[in-house]
Amino acid sequence: MNSSRLTACAVLTSLVIGSHALAVEGDPARGHRIFGACAACHSLQPDQNMTGPSLAGIWNRKAGTLPSFTRYSPALKSSNIEWNDKTLDEWIADPQHLVPGNQMMFPGIRDDRQRADLLAFLKQETTPGRAQMAQQGGPMGGMTGMMGGNSVANLKQLDAAERVQAITYCKDTYIVTTANGQQRKFWERNLRLKTDSSSDGPEKKAPALVRAGMMGDRADVIFAEPSEISALIVAKCD
Ligand code: HEC
C-alpha cells in the first residue's frame, strides 16, 4: 500500500469511528434541554404518571406494561416491544411508524444527534443507582420543572386563598368562595373542574383553586374525587 492510500485509509477509519461515536455517545446535558419536549407529559419519578406513563426504569421494560399507568393504547400494549437503545431511538424518531395507532401525541425527533443526546440523558436519569441530575435539581434541575414536567403542584397544604369553600352557579357564571372569604366570578367556560386522586391531589372535601391563563381570568378547581363536584356546586342566583 502506498502512503496516499494509507492516509485515505486512516481518514476513512477515523470517519467511521467518528460517526459511530456520534451515534452512540450523546451529551446528557444537551439531552436534558431536549427532554423539555417530553416533560409536559412524562415524569422521571417512579409511578408519577401524567398524560403519559412515568419513564423511571424504562430500559428493559416491555412496552405498555407499567402497572400503575391505566391509559395505554391497545396498540402499545400488544406491540411486544422491549425498550432498549434501539427501540427507544426508533420510537422517539417516529412513534407512529414504530407502533401504528399508539396514542402518544408527539410527532417525533428526526435529528439523530438530538435523539442521541436525549437518550443519553434519559438513560442517566431513569436507570436506578446512576448519578442523576434532574431529580436532585442538578445544573438545570429547575428547568424541566418550569417546562411543566415533574412540576404538578402538591395540593395537600393549601393557603386559605386557594382552598375552595363554596361554588354557586348562576346563568353563565361560577362564583367561587375561598376559605379567606374572597369571592371570584368566572365565565363558565373559563373554570375547569378537575380531579386529582394522586398523592399530589387535594384532601377530600378541600378542593383547590389553581390559577391558570396569563390574565388570571381562568382557573381550575381540582377536587379529590368526581362525586365532590356536583355535591359542592349549588345553582342559585342572589
Ligand atoms: C403530549 C404528551 C406526550 C409527549 C409530549 C410525549 N409523550 Fe411519550 N407517551 C405519551 C403517552 C400518552 C404514551 C402512551 C401511549 C400509548 O399507550 O399508546 C407515551 C408513551 C411513551 C413511552 C412508552 C412507555 C411505556 O411504558 O411503554 C415512551 C418510552 C415515551 N412515551 C417517551 C417519550 C419521550 C422520550 C418523549 C419526548 C421526546 C415523549 N414520550 C413525549 C405522551 C407523551
Side-chain angles (χ1 to χ4, degrees), residues 135-203:
Q135 277 122 358
Q136 268 102 45
M140 287 169 292
M143 224 167 110
T144 36
M146 272 160 57
M147 289 170 175
N150 311 330
S151 71
V152 280
N154 185 291
L155 303 175
K156 293 269 182 266
Q157 306 280 333
L158 295 171
D159 290 346
E162 302 165 316
R163 203 166 64 244
V164 175
Q165 252 175 0
I167 304 179
T168 56
Y169 176 64
C170 177
K171 299 208 178 85
D172 63 353
T173 301
Y174 286 109
I175 302 166
V176 178
T177 309
T178 42
N180 61 350
Q182 250 180 10
Q183 287 200 332
R184 298 236 4 222
K185 292 182 178 176
F186 296 92
W187 177 38
E188 60 183 333
R189 282 246 183 165
N190 281 345
L191 191 72
R192 286 182 291 195
L193 306 171
K194 300 179 172 180
T195 55
D196 186 346
S197 59
S198 79
S199 56
D200 287 323
E203 297 289 357

Side-chain angles (χ1 to χ4, degrees), residues 76-94:
L76 193 64
K77 278 204 282 195
S78 60
S79 66
N80 225 3
I81 288 169
E82 186 175 298
W83 294 123
N84 55 38
D85 293 345
K86 181 167 176 290
T87 53
L88 281 167
D89 186 60
E90 289 172 15
W91 172 254
I92 295 165
D94 189 350

Side-chain angles (χ1 to χ4, degrees), residues 52-171:
S54 161
L55 296 182
I58 187 77
W59 259 262
N60 305 323
R61 188 157 97 196
K62 249 188 92 182
T65 59
L66 182 67
S68 60
F69 186 72
T70 52
R71 293 179 293 280
Y72 284 116
S73 64
L76 193 64
K77 278 204 282 195
S78 60
S79 66
N80 225 3
I81 288 169
E82 186 175 298
W83 294 123
N84 55 38
D85 293 345
K86 181 167 176 290
T87 53
L88 281 167
D89 186 60
E90 289 172 15
W91 172 254
I92 295 165
D94 189 350
Q96 284 304 328
H97 181 76
L98 184 68
V99 183
N102 83 78
Q103 279 160 19
M104 174 157 120
M105 298 301 147
F106 185 75
I109 298 175
R110 299 296 187 269
D111 187 291
D112 294 352
R113 174 86 232 188
Q114 289 187 350
R115 289 201 310 281
D117 291 343
L118 176 58
L119 284 182
F121 168 73
L122 275 179
K123 197 168 208 173
Q124 172 178 295
E125 295 299 315
T126 63
T127 309
R130 294 230 186 179
Q132 303 188 328
M133 55 187 194
Q135 277 122 358
Q136 268 102 45
M140 287 169 292
M143 224 167 110
T144 36
M146 272 160 57
M147 289 170 175
N150 311 330
S151 71
V152 280
N154 185 291
L155 303 175
K156 293 269 182 266
Q157 306 280 333
L158 295 171
D159 290 346
E162 302 165 316
R163 203 166 64 244
V164 175
Q165 252 175 0
I167 304 179
T168 56
Y169 176 64
C170 177
K171 299 208 178 85

